[in-house]
Amino acid sequence: FSVPFYKEIDPNPSVAFFFFLIFGMMLGDAGYGLLLTLGTGIILALRKPPKGEMNLVKIMFMGGISTFIWGFLFGSYFGLSATDLGIWCWFNPIEDPMPLLILSLAVGVVQMFFGMAINMVALIKKHQPVWGISSAFSWYFLALGIGGIFGASYIGAWAKTAGIVFAVLGVVLLMLSGTFGKRGAKKITGALSSLYGIINFFSDMMSYTRIFGLGLASGVIGMVFNEIASVISGMMPFKFMGVIVTIIICIIGHTFNISINALGAYVHNSRLQFVEFFGKFYTGGGELFAPLGSQMKYYRIGEPVEAKMASKSRQKQ
């Protein structure tokens, strides 16, 4: 992607929030999050990188914090369940996976709707308010309609009627948004082709099930290594040998698990941002501002020599 067009809304703040949120859900283990945070935090403290350097380490540091939070909510500690440890948890995806699937889809819908809201604001700024409002609210009304129709058994019969009304209104607005910028017969084809966007929407929404998949994978792999260590240690003739074998297997297994799943969380999380999220509003086409003297490869501007000498003399006094 090129950088944003200078009149375009900067996507970085929203991407930072959703990337932080989703990364932790994908890794989802408090122990792994603690290790990531401590490891990358030590690197950043020792190296003290200037602005713009070691950004990947900074991303992993923030991802570790998110992973620790979600791991605590999911009750996972190096593959051990909070139930076995006697610790509170919101729910355990290994024991009850459906809430994680629903949560993953809900996060996807919220992010896509947020992207549509950004697109609506951008179109309003371009003095195209009708297009912007209809293109965004068509999906909002469709979501309310589908939710009302399928949730009528839990809410009441009135929800089905309201859902049908919202769904019809959403379809009408969606077809209306497909007519903007077109003339003659192309307005009709544009209105009909916009309905195809419903299929694309559900396709994008299902992409967020990768949160569910990776969240389960990290927990299951960690649990499997714990089971392997338990079985093999039980076969040892002496207890101290079993302890040594358990430690070796857990170190190797959990190191592999945190490495491969942290990489997976980074890659798949990035895909959700650049495809599903950016596809709702982002155009790009800008040029990166690079002022003269911004290339700091061979030199770095720091404290003036006179100020350093004055500071040292004050310390001696």
Side-chain angles (χ1 to χ4, degrees):
F1 286 95
S2 59
V3 296
F5 187 60
Y6 77 98
K7 287 187 177 181
E8 191 173 14
I9 297 174
D10 184 9
N12 282 312
S14 51
V15 168
F17 171 77
F18 284 110
F19 193 97
F20 175 83
L21 180 72
I22 294 174
F23 188 97
M25 293 178 65
M26 286 182 168
L27 201 50
D29 186 283
Y32 295 166
L34 184 62
L35 285 181
L36 266 181
T37 304
L38 291 177
T40 54
I42 291 172
I43 293 173
L44 293 174
L46 294 177
R47 296 288 300 275
K48 295 180 181 179
K51 185 177 181 181
E53 295 185 14
M54 298 182 70
N55 288 332
L56 183 59
V57 179
K58 297 174 185 176
I59 290 174
M60 290 295 111
F61 175 77
M62 296 304 297
I65 296 174
S66 177
T67 301
F68 179 81
I69 295 172
W70 283 108
F72 172 74
L73 294 175
F74 294 160
S76 180
Y77 301 86
F78 292 106
L80 298 174
S81 171
T83 305
D84 299 331
L85 298 173
I87 304 174
W88 175 89
C89 70
W90 183 20
F91 67 89
N92 191 323
I94 305 299
E95 300 171 357
D96 188 14
M98 285 307 297
L100 180 59
L101 177 60
I102 295 171
L103 182 63
S104 301
L105 295 176
V107 169
V109 170
V110 170
Q111 185 177 26
M112 289 191 294
F113 279 0
F114 190 80
M116 294 172 186
I118 295 176
N119 184 58
M120 177 178 66
V121 173
L123 289 173
I124 291 174
K125 286 185 176 181
K126 292 179 181 179
H127 306 290
Q128 297 173 324
V130 179
W131 187 2
I133 293 172
S134 63
S135 62
F137 275 85
S138 60
W139 296 106
Y140 300 161
F141 287 148
L142 274 172
L144 285 173
I146 295 172
I149 292 171
F150 287 98
S153 57
Y154 302 98
I155 303 173
W158 63 270
K160 184 175 182 179
T161 304
I164 294 173
V165 173
F166 277 119
V168 172
L169 183 59
V171 170
V172 171
L173 287 177
L174 185 62
M175 295 179 69
L176 177 64
S177 65
T179 63
F180 287 98
K182 298 178 177 62
R183 295 180 179 180
K186 290 185 178 180
K187 283 184 174 291
I188 299 175
T189 57
L192 295 175
S193 63
S194 64
L195 295 177
Y196 186 76
I198 297 176
I199 298 175
N200 292 332
F201 177 85
F202 283 102
S203 175
D204 291 343
M205 186 179 71
M206 294 307 296
S207 292
Y208 285 85
T209 56
R210 68 188 66 237
I211 302 175
F212 168 75
L214 268 71
L216 285 183
S218 60
V220 169
I221 293 173
M223 184 177 64
V224 167
F225 279 117
N226 291 338
E227 289 293 330
I228 292 173
S230 177
V231 171
I232 295 179
S233 65
M235 298 169 61
M236 295 293 105
F238 301 102
K239 187 175 181 180
F240 77 92
M241 294 178 62
V243 173
I244 295 174
V245 169
T246 299
I247 293 173
I248 294 174
I249 293 175
C250 286
I251 290 176
I252 295 174
H254 288 296
T255 300
F256 167 78
N257 194 20
I258 191 174
S259 301
I260 196 69
N261 281 294
L263 176 62
Y266 173 78
V267 171
H268 289 282
N269 197 353
S270 299
R271 184 201 184 280
L272 291 176
Q273 311 305 318
F274 297 143
V275 179
E276 276 70 30
F277 187 47
F278 274 21
K280 300 296 178 289
F281 67 95
Y282 192 75
T283 55
E287 294 184 10
L288 188 65
F289 175 65
L292 295 175
S294 62
Q295 301 298 324
M296 307 292 287
K297 184 176 180 180
Y298 299 107
Y299 60 90
R300 183 173 298 151
I301 299 174
E303 188 180 4
V305 177
E306 295 82 0
K308 285 185 177 180
M309 294 177 65
S311 177
K312 288 182 179 179
S313 64
R314 285 196 300 268
Q315 290 177 1
K316 290 181 179 178
Q317 293 175 359

